[in-house]
Amino acid sequence: MSLFDDYYTLLIESGPEILDGFIVSLKLLAGSCFFAFLLAVPLAIARVSENAWLRQFARTYSSIFRGTPLLVQIFIFYYGLSQFEAVRNSVIWPLLGDSFYCGITVLALNLTAYMAEDVRAGIMAVPHGEKEAATAYGLSKFQCYRYIIIPRALSIVTPVLGNEVIAQLKATALVSTITVLDMTGIVRRLSARSYTTDALIIAGVIYALTTLTISLVVRFAEHRNTRHIRR
Amino acid sequence: MDILLSYGEQLLLGASVTLQLAFTALLFGLVLGLVFAACKLSSYTYLRRTVNFFTNFLRGVPEFLIILICYFGLSNLINNQFDGVFEISPFVGGVFALAIVFSAYASEVFRGAFNAVPVGQIEAAKAYGLSRTQMFFYVQLPQAWRISLPSLNNMWQSLLKDTSLVSVVGLEDLLKKADMAAQYTKQPFVFFVAVAGIYFLFLAISNPVFAYLEKMANRGFTARS
């Protein structure tokens, strides 16, 4: 049982440190998901808008953020933008100069692109009759989106959005490359200090358990969101 | 632009390493994915459960962490077993990590695809007296391939993007070369945007390839008028 003893001692010794990292990871996850969700809905609406420019903008945004590696995006925002004097003097510098906030920003912008595609798919999947019924009831375009299309679209894509959140948890690990001490950052330091991978494996197990928890929560949310269809 | 051109050769070298990494991982990932899918479809309960647990676990852990574990862990493991000072290269570690991640997702896709092959066709193949190997290669595999191609396209795209993570353990791929050039020239923005552009190009090229593959795989299913 010496194998597990090692892990046990490591957890006793560095448990609080790993917990701190875990909390940072959760903050990154919650923050980026929150802002991404706020941005994704308007972007999805822009994606199906009648205005060709808006549509093109949304499509370009999505394809750029989905077509390049997240790590490269993080490097562009954190190392790349600091190259310019104008950026360093601008108002957004406090946001981009701090590795944690820069990490959240890039993660959110990246997730927005993915979520917008999902929400768009949801909007397309709303039965046409419901949209027509809303128009027939005299709902304005805004009301139509606010009360009919968006709620319906979101409940259709709940499971997909849940998968995006899980993928996002895994993506947060990347910000450890720009010196954010999230869980991956902490265990990398621990493992470099001890010359073993024990800490990395512990983090892996914690990530897997968190993923499991999130997927259970998503299943519950899905269950709740479809209660009007369920018998 | 001049700076980019003067490092063009280095960037191309890095890009070729990235592509080698991606294709090697794809090859091993596909083979391993098939093996895992076979295990998941096997009638041995324990084999099925073990593989299911393993792939579910892999899918819940960040790819980045898996790369770190594979790179540092494999060297440690080998050194502890044979007490030598052996060290695996970042390339091997990266291929190993990316391949098992890919296979974890691929096994699930293949499992679904093999299940989706209509039972009647398998019965027909048996009735025609095809051996199990023949049935696998002539009936099941082509169909599973056709069904799983769209998902494989998605997985290939994430695999290609994930290759950039291996630069963190020191592989001199596209991103690492750009990083070195950026530190030397103090122009990180130019180089990282160039890297993003190259990745974007690679992904843009792979779309028509998959469209062609899908067309080829679907030629038995052209719309009948």
Side-chain angles (χ1 to χ4, degrees):
Chain A
M1 292 311 282
S2 66
L3 182 71
F4 289 102
D5 281 351
D6 281 355
Y7 290 117
Y8 187 68
T9 9
L10 187 68
L11 265 181
I12 296 290
E13 277 172 8
S14 320
E17 222 176 324
I18 297 178
L19 187 68
D20 285 346
F22 180 61
I23 290 169
V24 173
S25 284
L26 285 187
K27 278 184 191 160
L28 285 166
L29 176 70
S32 61
C33 285
F34 177 72
F35 288 110
F37 186 71
L38 284 188
L39 293 171
V41 174
L43 196 70
I45 296 174
R47 192 85 162 71
V48 293
S49 136
E50 279 140 29
N51 185 328
W53 287 107
L54 261 179
R55 229 167 35 227
Q56 192 56 45
F57 166 77
R59 191 179 307 150
T60 315
Y61 180 90
S62 278
S63 66
I64 286 177
F65 274 94
R66 282 150 45 100
T68 54
L70 176 59
L71 188 61
V72 177
Q73 291 163 18
I74 291 176
F75 281 4
I76 289 178
F77 276 79
Y78 190 66
Y79 297 119
L81 287 181
S82 61
Q83 176 189 331
F84 301 108
E85 196 76 27
V87 177
R88 281 207 299 273
N89 294 332
S90 71
V91 281
I92 54 166
W93 184 241
L95 193 68
L96 293 178
D98 183 276
S99 57
F100 177 78
Y101 290 109
C102 182
I104 280 203
T105 311
V106 186
L107 285 172
L109 290 177
N110 182 270
L111 184 61
T112 302
Y114 285 91
M115 275 193 171
E117 287 299 300
D118 300 332
V119 176
R120 170 178 159 266
I123 293 178
M124 309 283 264
V126 175
H128 211 70
E130 294 185 17
K131 292 181 203 168
E132 280 169 6
T135 321
Y137 267 108
L139 263 61
S140 73
K141 195 143 186 220
F142 174 79
Q143 284 174 322
C144 189
Y145 270 107
R146 165 70 184 79
Y147 295 107
I148 311 291
I149 300 181
I150 294 301
R152 271 294 265 144
L154 289 182
S155 77
I156 292 172
V157 293
T158 309
V160 189
L161 289 182
N163 285 343
E164 297 292 4
V165 173
I166 290 173
Q168 188 70 1
L169 173 69
K170 299 198 279 172
T172 57
L174 292 188
V175 293
S176 67
T177 54
I178 54 168
T179 70
V180 179
L181 283 177
D182 72 328
M183 188 155 69
T184 308
I186 297 270
V187 293
R188 271 175 83 185
R189 218 169 54 175
L190 288 176
S191 113
R193 210 188 288 155
S194 66
Y195 295 107
T196 59
T197 43
D198 294 352
L200 295 175
I201 290 170
I202 286 181
V205 173
I206 298 177
Y207 273 116
L209 289 177
T210 318
T211 311
L212 185 71
T213 316
I214 298 176
S215 65
L216 289 178
V217 171
V218 170
R219 207 171 297 165
F220 177 72
E222 195 191 337
H223 191 69
R224 248 189 64 109
N225 271 356
T226 51
R227 63 188 182 281
H228 55 289
I229 312 174
R230 211 170 49 231
R231 296 178 199 226
Chain B
M1 213 53 209
D2 286 346
I3 296 181
L4 266 186
L5 285 180
S6 61
Y7 282 91
E9 203 181 331
Q10 287 295 312
L11 288 182
L12 280 183
L13 269 176
S16 87
V17 172
T18 293
L19 284 183
Q20 281 169 30
L21 181 68
F23 281 118
T24 323
L26 176 70
L27 180 71
F28 284 108
L30 280 176
V31 174
L32 211 58
L34 274 176
V35 173
F36 283 161
C39 295
K40 284 182 178 183
L41 291 168
S42 117
S43 47
Y44 295 105
T45 319
Y46 286 106
L47 183 63
R48 217 163 52 215
R49 284 202 188 140
T50 317
V51 173
N52 265 328
F53 178 79
F54 181 63
T55 53
N56 282 339
F57 180 76
L58 276 182
R59 292 195 296 170
V61 180
E63 293 81 1
F64 183 49
L65 203 57
I66 295 177
I67 290 173
L68 293 177
I69 292 175
C70 286
Y71 177 60
F72 296 113
L74 278 182
S75 318
N76 281 351
L77 197 70
I78 294 170
N79 288 344
N80 288 346
Q81 293 304 317
F82 302 103
D83 43 49
V85 274
F86 183 77
E87 203 167 296
I88 64 163
S89 69
F91 188 84
V92 175
V95 164
F96 188 85
L98 292 175
I100 59 168
V101 172
F102 187 88
S103 69
Y105 286 92
S107 66
E108 203 53 31
V109 170
F110 286 142
R111 188 187 60 83
F114 276 108
N115 269 338
V117 177
V119 189
Q121 298 194 3
I122 292 168
E123 282 169 2
K126 277 184 191 153
Y128 268 109
L130 263 61
S131 70
R132 276 203 80 154
T133 338
Q134 282 174 323
M135 193 169 83
F136 180 76
F137 281 107
Y138 293 121
V139 181
Q140 287 177 295
L141 193 60
Q143 307 242 29
W145 170 249
R146 174 178 66 83
I147 297 167
S148 49
L149 257 178
S151 312
L152 286 181
N153 185 7
N154 285 338
M155 286 176 340
W156 158 252
Q157 302 212 348
S158 19
L159 170 66
L160 192 54
K161 286 188 269 176
D162 284 344
T163 54
S164 62
L165 308 184
V166 186
S167 68
V168 178
V169 293
L171 179 70
E172 297 204 345
D173 72 334
L174 182 55
L175 185 55
K176 184 81 185 171
K177 291 276 189 198
D179 192 28
M180 294 192 296
Q183 283 181 7
Y184 196 72
T185 58
K186 307 267 181 258
Q187 296 218 325
F189 188 77
V190 182
F191 283 100
F192 290 139
V193 168
V195 171
I198 295 174
Y199 268 107
F200 193 80
L201 193 73
F202 285 162
L203 289 166
I205 294 173
S206 62
N207 269 330
V209 173
F210 269 94
Y212 173 75
L213 287 177
E214 272 174 49
K215 205 177 120 195
M216 290 303 286
N218 275 315
R219 64 192 184 282
F221 285 81
T222 40
R224 297 189 191 95
S225 51

